[in-house]
């Protein structure tokens, strides 16, 4: 049954532009939905803050989206999910979809070698990742690789040179020939997939959780009877961007990243 709820937008948030990589994947499956994306840029980055601080920021981001009127919330940020997804689910009646590093698919394809999990320091420190690590560490050799400062480089649109330099250092102590997969445990990292692949080597599979999150969202909306009429029918994406940061600047960057990501996605 379709009711007024079904035509409400899906709320998506991240500390900045990272969640646009997830939004792009969701739009691929559900182009006929409406979206409202919050970039909490005034408070980015999340990954080097305390868990309590990120929990507060995430609850505040959800509150802003709730006040816009949404039917579901996608926490398009591994760090915010680690810190706040349980509280968000307690607080809101609409479905809340979180993210976690895609260790399961990485172990399935790469158990013969080392699996590197790149993420923010907070994500790798938190209970959610540690539970995931304990579930898979008997099946594969997993190395968590915290990457403080990398989100800032991506946000500032630092060129390939600076990003590659960072990655070279970060991967410096790893035996590259033994790496089979790299998990992108932060939604920002999807935007530097090529640089990560160039650093890790051509034999390394790069895995992110974006498609899994999009599928989870669809299944959840379906089971709640919340899909909009025509949600899977192709149409130009309808996304409203909001931000806690500098409005003109951030929204322009968001639009540019979405456009670029949608174009890349269409070629795949
Ligand atoms: N994009 C985010 C994530 O997936 C967070 C980055 C940050 O603000 O540190 O973890």
């Amino acid at each position: 049954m379709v009711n007024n709820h079904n035509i409400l937008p899906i709320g998506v948030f991240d500390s900045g532009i990272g969640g646009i990589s997830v939004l792009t994947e969701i739009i691929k499956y559900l182009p006929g939905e409406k979206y409202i994306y919050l970039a909490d840029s005034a408070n980015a980055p999340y990954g080097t803050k305390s868990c309590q601080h990120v929990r507060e920021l995430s609850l505040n981001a959800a509150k802003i989206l709730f006040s816009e009127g949404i039917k579901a919330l996608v926490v398009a940020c591994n760090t915010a999910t680690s810190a706040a997804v349980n509280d968000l689910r307690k607080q809101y009646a609409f479905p809340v979809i979180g993210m976690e590093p895609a260790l399961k698919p990485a172990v399935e394809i790469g158990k013969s070698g080392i699996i590197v999990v790149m993420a923010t320091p907070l994500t790798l420190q938190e209970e959610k990742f540690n539970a995931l690590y304990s579930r898979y560490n008997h099946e594969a050799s997993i190395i968590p690789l915290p990457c403080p400062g990398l989100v800032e480089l991506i946000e500032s649109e630092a060129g390939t040179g600076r990003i590659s330099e960072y990655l070279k250092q970060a991967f410096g102590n790893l035996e590259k020939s033994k790496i089979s997969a790299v998990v992108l445990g932060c939604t920002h990292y999807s935007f530097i997939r090529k640089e990560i692949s160039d650093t890790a080597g051509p034999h390394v599979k790069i895995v992110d959780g974006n498609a899994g999150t999009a599928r989870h969202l669809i299944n959840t909306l379906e089971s709640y009877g919340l899909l909009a009429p025509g949600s899977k029918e192709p149409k130009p994406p309808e996304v409203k961007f909001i931000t806690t940061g500098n409005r003109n600047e951030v929204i322009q960057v968001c639009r540019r990243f979405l456009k670029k990501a949608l174009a890349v996605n269409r070629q795949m």
Side-chain angles (χ1 to χ4, degrees), residues 25-268:
E25 198 63 27
I26 297 172
I27 289 174
K28 187 164 118 188
Y29 293 95
L30 297 175
E33 292 283 347
K34 285 190 272 187
Y35 300 92
I36 173 155
Y37 184 93
L38 169 66
D40 190 12
S41 310
N43 300 302
Y46 281 0
T48 43
K49 292 186 166 66
S50 72
C51 186
Q52 178 56 26
H53 193 177
V54 174
R55 188 175 298 132
E56 282 160 21
L57 294 172
S58 305
L59 289 171
N60 190 50
K63 195 166 144 197
I64 297 172
L65 286 167
F66 174 69
S67 70
E68 294 273 335
I70 54 172
K71 65 178 176 183
L73 177 68
V74 179
V75 184
C77 174
N78 293 265
T79 312
T81 301
S82 312
V85 79
N86 295 337
D87 298 282
L88 290 168
R89 289 194 175 122
K90 272 187 219 144
Q91 193 150 332
Y92 293 104
F94 48 62
V96 176
I97 309 297
M99 300 207 57
E100 63 181 21
L103 210 42
K104 185 170 185 259
V107 169
E108 274 161 16
I109 58 173
K111 55 163 81 85
S112 56
I114 292 169
I115 294 172
V116 177
V117 184
M118 294 174 70
T120 66
L122 185 58
T123 297
L124 295 176
Q125 203 170 289
E126 277 310 297
E127 201 184 310
K128 202 163 172 21
F129 176 72
N130 284 305
L132 198 62
Y133 178 87
S134 311
R135 202 175 323 141
Y136 292 106
N137 80 336
H138 58 278
E139 285 186 48
S141 161
I142 300 165
I143 299 188
L145 184 65
C147 296
L150 187 51
V151 161
E152 290 92 314
L153 281 180
I154 299 166
E155 285 279 337
S156 69
E157 299 183 74
T160 299
R162 277 174 72 201
I163 303 252
S164 300
E165 195 46 47
Y166 180 104
L167 294 171
K168 209 169 118 193
Q169 293 242 341
F171 278 76
N173 292 330
L174 302 171
E175 237 182 297
K176 283 208 234 160
S177 60
K178 295 201 172 145
I179 303 175
S180 55
V182 172
V183 177
L184 308 184
C186 165
T187 54
H188 279 76
Y189 304 165
S190 297
F191 290 117
I192 55 161
R193 180 182 281 264
K194 182 176 181 312
E195 288 87 343
I196 292 171
S197 174
D198 289 348
T199 306
H203 61 288
V204 177
K205 298 262 186 303
I206 311 291
V207 185
D208 70 32
N210 296 354
T213 304
R215 279 195 300 272
H216 184 198
L217 172 68
I218 298 166
N219 293 341
T220 307
L221 292 177
E222 257 161 7
S223 71
Y224 278 72
L226 275 175
L227 284 174
S231 62
K232 295 182 183 167
E233 285 158 27
K235 81 187 255 292
E238 214 177 302
V239 183
K240 177 179 170 186
F241 285 105
I242 55 174
T243 182
T244 53
N246 178 327
R247 200 175 172 278
N248 291 339
E249 198 182 299
V250 175
I251 291 177
Q252 250 186 41
V253 175
C254 285
R255 284 196 203 290
R256 191 149 34 83
F257 268 81
L258 179 65
K259 202 169 153 196
K260 223 167 30 180
L262 285 170
V264 171
N265 224 321
R266 270 194 291 271
Q267 285 159 17
M268 290 178 6

